């Protein structure tokens, strides 16, 4: 009998402990998730993407048509100003120069002939004048001599014009022959080659591009597209930090050098080109890389900051109160007090998306702010219903 009583007491104690464990600790469970007011750094920035390019890209083409005979450079070849980088087959142009030289010689010979005929016509005219003065020849003979002289004089002028024309044609042929030598206009590096040996290029309608030369790869620029909502915060001289996919662990730095006014509209979205100058002395950046950049608008160190989630949190019923009572309006956070949460009005400064600067407000470093409610709503509790065993 005593053993049964002991067993009963033990069973009762165990059941009581189980019930207390299930129901007694519910009130001690946390009802809110909190984060602390901290002191640190906030960096306000405008983010965008852009393409890395050389500051000056020179497109080298050809002004004459022909077949590419020789290539002296390739991709990534360093070049100097005035260096021959390609040669178009000059045979046709050499023949044109020879033809123009022959035409010039012929024109000069015709000029000599015309001058000789002019001298003869002049002598004949002077002789006939003397004879006419002595009444030895008729007036018609003198008129014929004067006409021949004037004709010869005009012929000399025409011959001189032909010499000048042939000389101009020769210079044109010589210029076209020089154009068969493709020369680099700047010092730089070949970043693109668009022709091969044996390829025919035609310069009839537009100048074909044979090479693209980057003038100086140690200085690069990023052409980024900034949304119209953020362009008002961008100004020349602001610091820029960016990364590229090739070096995800390296943060590169640059500065805004130009904010262009020309709008770029794509599918009714308006952006503006912001040019960022970058030093590339180590040549890690390559033309065409995609840069994920942040234009630093403001940077503050050692300031009180509150999590943005605390600014977004609101207690049930607080929005309705703010709609009816003007005193309840404005930015605020909820502080986890000893008994009940307390609403504290604050004024804020810059933000980096995760934290916001605290300007004024009855808050201290380390104070807990409510960012989320963990308590179940009545609707959620009512959905469970009675359990069926």
């Amino acid at each position: 009998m005593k053993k049964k009583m002991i067993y009963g007491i033990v069973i009762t104690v165990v059941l009581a402990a189980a019930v207390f464990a299930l129901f007694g600790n519910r009130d001690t469970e946390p009802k809110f998730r909190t984060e602390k007011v901290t002191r640190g750094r906030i960096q306000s920035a405008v983010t965008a993407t852009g393409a890395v390019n050389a500051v000056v890209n020179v497109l080298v083409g050809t002004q004459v048509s022909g077949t590419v005979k020789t290539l002296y450079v390739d991709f990534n070849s360093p070049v100097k100003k005035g260096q021959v980088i390609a040669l178009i087959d000059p045979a046709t142009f050499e023949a044109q120069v020879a033809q123009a030289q022959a035409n010039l010689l012929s024109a000069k010979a015709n000029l000599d002939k015309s001058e000789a005929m002019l001298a003869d016509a002049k002598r004949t005219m002077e002789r006939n004048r003397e004879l006419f003065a002595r009444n030895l020849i008729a007036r018609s003979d003198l008129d014929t001599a004067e006409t021949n002289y004037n004709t010869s004089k005009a012929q000399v002028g025409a011959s001189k014009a032909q010499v000048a024309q042939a000389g101009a044609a020769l210079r044109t042929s010589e210029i076209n022959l020089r154009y068969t030598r493709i020369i680099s206009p700047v010092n730089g590096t070949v970043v693109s080659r668009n022709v091969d040996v044996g390829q025919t290029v035609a310069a009839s309608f537009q100048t074909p591009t044979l090479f693209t030369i980057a003038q100086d790869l140690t200085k690069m620029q990023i052409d980024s597209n900034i949304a119209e909502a953020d362009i008002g915060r961008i100004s020349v001289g602001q610091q820029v930090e960016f990364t590229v996919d090739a070096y995800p662990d390296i943060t590169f730095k640059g500065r805004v050098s130009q904010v262009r006014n020309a709008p770029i509209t794509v599918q009714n979205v308006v952006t503006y080109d912001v040019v960022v100058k970058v030093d590339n002395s180590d040549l890690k950046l390559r033309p065409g890389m995609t840069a994920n950049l942040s234009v630093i608008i403001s940077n503050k160190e050692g300031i009180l900051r509150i999590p943005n989630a605390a600014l977004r949190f609101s207690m049930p019923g607080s929005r309705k109160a703010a709609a009816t009572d003007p005193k309840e309006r404005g930015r605020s956070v909820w502080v986890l007090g000893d008994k009940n949460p307390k609403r504290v009005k604050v004024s804020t400064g810059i933000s980096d998306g995760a934290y916001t600067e605290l300007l004024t407000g009855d808050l201290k470093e380390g104070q807990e702010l409510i960012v989320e409610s963990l308590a179940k709503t009545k609707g959620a509790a009512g959905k469970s219903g009675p359990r069926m065993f």
Side-chain angles (χ1 to χ4, degrees), residues 76 84 212 217 231 244-245 254 295 303 335 342:
N76 301 332
V84 179
T212 302
L217 290 180
I231 196 64
V244 294
D245 293 340
V295 181
I303 60 173
V335 179
K342 177 184 176 182

Side-chain angles (χ1 to χ4, degrees), residues 81-373:
K81 183 177 181 179
Q83 176 183 343
V84 179
I85 57 179
L87 178 66
I88 294 177
D89 191 357
T92 301
F93 301 95
E94 290 173 348
Q96 291 176 357
V97 169
Q99 180 66 44
Q101 289 175 342
N103 291 339
L104 179 59
L105 292 175
S106 177
K108 288 181 178 180
N110 288 333
L111 176 60
D112 294 339
K113 179 180 178 181
S114 298
E115 289 176 344
M117 293 177 65
L118 175 62
D120 180 66
K122 184 178 182 181
R123 288 192 300 269
T124 301
M125 181 186 66
E126 292 175 350
R127 185 183 306 114
N128 286 350
R129 280 179 179 176
E130 293 178 0
L131 294 175
F132 178 75
R134 297 176 185 178
N135 293 323
L136 298 177
I137 60 173
R139 179 68 185 180
S140 61
D141 293 336
L142 177 59
D143 292 341
T144 301
E146 289 178 347
T147 301
N148 291 337
Y149 171 76
N150 292 330
T151 302
S152 299
K153 188 176 181 180
Q155 183 62 40
V156 169
S159 299
K160 289 181 178 179
Q162 290 177 356
V163 170
Q165 186 177 6
L170 175 61
R171 288 192 296 272
T172 301
S173 300
E174 290 174 343
I175 291 172
N176 289 335
L177 178 61
R178 286 200 299 270
Y179 281 153
T180 60
R181 300 166 68 249
I182 309 301
I183 296 175
S184 173
V186 295
N187 297 333
T189 303
V190 177
V191 296
S192 175
R193 174 177 63 81
N194 302 321
V195 292
D196 292 305
V197 174
Q199 182 174 341
T200 300
V201 292
S204 301
F205 301 102
Q206 61 182 3
T207 301
T209 300
L210 307 184
F211 301 92
T212 302
I213 299 177
Q215 186 170 358
D216 187 4
L217 290 180
T218 62
K219 294 179 178 61
M220 307 289 281
Q221 73 179 27
I222 300 174
D223 295 302
S224 61
N225 294 327
I226 303 295
E228 61 176 325
D230 297 322
I231 196 64
R233 304 165 63 192
I234 307 298
S235 60
V236 175
Q238 289 176 330
Q239 186 178 354
V240 178
E241 296 180 351
F242 67 96
T243 60
V244 294
D245 293 340
Y247 307 101
D249 299 329
I250 300 177
T251 300
F252 299 91
K253 297 184 182 296
R255 287 195 177 275
V256 175
S257 66
Q258 191 178 41
V259 181
R260 295 179 178 172
N261 292 325
I264 303 171
T265 305
V266 179
Q267 295 181 352
N268 295 329
V269 177
V270 179
T271 59
Y272 292 86
D273 186 8
V274 174
V275 181
V276 179
K277 290 294 179 65
V278 181
D279 179 52
N280 190 35
S281 301
D282 53 6
L283 298 179
K284 287 186 177 180
L285 298 175
R286 301 172 184 269
M289 284 185 170
T290 300
N292 302 306
L293 54 87
S294 298
V295 181
I296 309 303
I297 306 301
S298 179
N299 190 11
K300 296 185 179 181
E301 300 279 352
I303 60 173
L304 283 179
R305 58 185 188 177
I306 55 180
N308 286 359
L311 293 170
R312 293 191 296 266
F313 176 78
S314 61
M315 294 292 291
S318 60
R319 294 182 180 178
K320 186 180 295 184
T324 57
D325 188 357
K327 296 182 180 180
E328 297 294 325
R329 298 172 185 173
R331 305 203 81 178
S332 62
V333 294
W334 291 84
V335 179
L336 189 62
D338 296 335
K339 295 182 179 180
N340 296 319
K342 177 184 176 182
R343 183 174 181 268
V344 178
K345 281 190 174 183
V346 295
S347 61
T348 58
I350 64 174
S351 175
D352 62 0
Y355 292 92
T356 298
E357 176 189 11
L358 175 64
L359 296 178
T360 61
D362 188 14
L363 297 175
K364 298 179 181 179
E365 183 179 357
Q367 200 165 2
E368 298 283 351
L369 304 180
I370 300 175
V371 298
E372 184 183 2
S373 175

